[in-house]
Amino acid sequence: GGVLLYLSTLGVVRRANTLMREQHARLAETEAWAVIGEIAATTAHSIRNPLASIRSTAELQRELGALSPAAAADTVRDVERIERLVRTLLTYTRGQAEPTGSADAGAVLREAAGAFTATARAQGQRLTVEIDDGLPPVRGDAVLLGQLLSSLLSN
């Protein structure tokens, strides 16, 4: 009887030890995500303030005629893209790691290619992208997909 009691107690202790280790690992992961969230929020705030100034300056320069409407529109579009990236960063640091939406792959490809057309032209190169109009939507975040494509094109 004593051996049986000892073995059952040993089993309970081992199971409790395993549960405590799992809970400790989950707690450490939760704390890490909390720190990442704080860093992301601070970074987002630090990025958004200069972006607002850049956008305002571009719009003012356009109104004063010191900046062409096309250049001002490019600047505002890039500011909006960066703002979307910051919002997406904050969304993913708040725990929504699984993509829930869908993205128009063709539109994202066109936008990414369009952003690099001027850069390629300035370097004496030509960027040609052929995109089938019938591409199905892809599961994921359009901003993150665009960032991925932009990174690939820049590299």
Side-chain angles (χ1 to χ4, degrees), residues 31-41 93:
E31 289 175 355
W33 277 109
V35 169
I36 290 170
E38 289 177 27
I39 292 170
T93 58

Side-chain angles (χ1 to χ4, degrees), residues 17-33:
N17 187 32
T18 301
L19 287 173
M20 286 176 49
R21 285 184 188 183
E22 290 172 358
Q23 288 177 348
H24 184 270
R26 280 192 296 260
L27 179 62
E29 183 179 348
T30 301
E31 289 175 355
W33 277 109

Side-chain angles (χ1 to χ4, degrees), residues 120-149:
R121 196 174 324 135
Q123 295 174 354
Q125 299 174 350
R126 193 176 97 205
L127 177 63
T128 305
V129 179
E130 295 180 21
I131 302 169
D132 185 11
D133 288 334
L135 286 178
V138 295
R139 192 177 127 205
D141 187 282
V143 175
L144 290 177
L145 181 59
Q147 182 63 33
L148 170 73
L149 293 170

Side-chain angles (χ1 to χ4, degrees), residues 25-87:
R26 280 192 296 260
L27 179 62
E29 183 179 348
T30 301
E31 289 175 355
W33 277 109
V35 169
I36 290 170
E38 289 177 27
I39 292 170
T42 302
T43 303
H45 180 72
S46 298
I47 291 172
R48 284 181 172 161
N49 287 338
L51 284 177
S53 296
I54 292 168
R55 171 187 240 136
S56 297
T57 301
E59 291 171 348
L60 180 63
Q61 293 295 320
R62 181 186 59 210
E63 289 177 18
L64 295 174
L67 191 62
S68 73
D74 287 345
T75 301
V76 170
R77 185 185 74 242
D78 288 340
V79 165
E80 288 172 352
R81 183 177 59 83
I82 294 169
E83 286 175 344
R84 283 193 311 269
L85 288 170
V86 169
R87 278 194 305 272

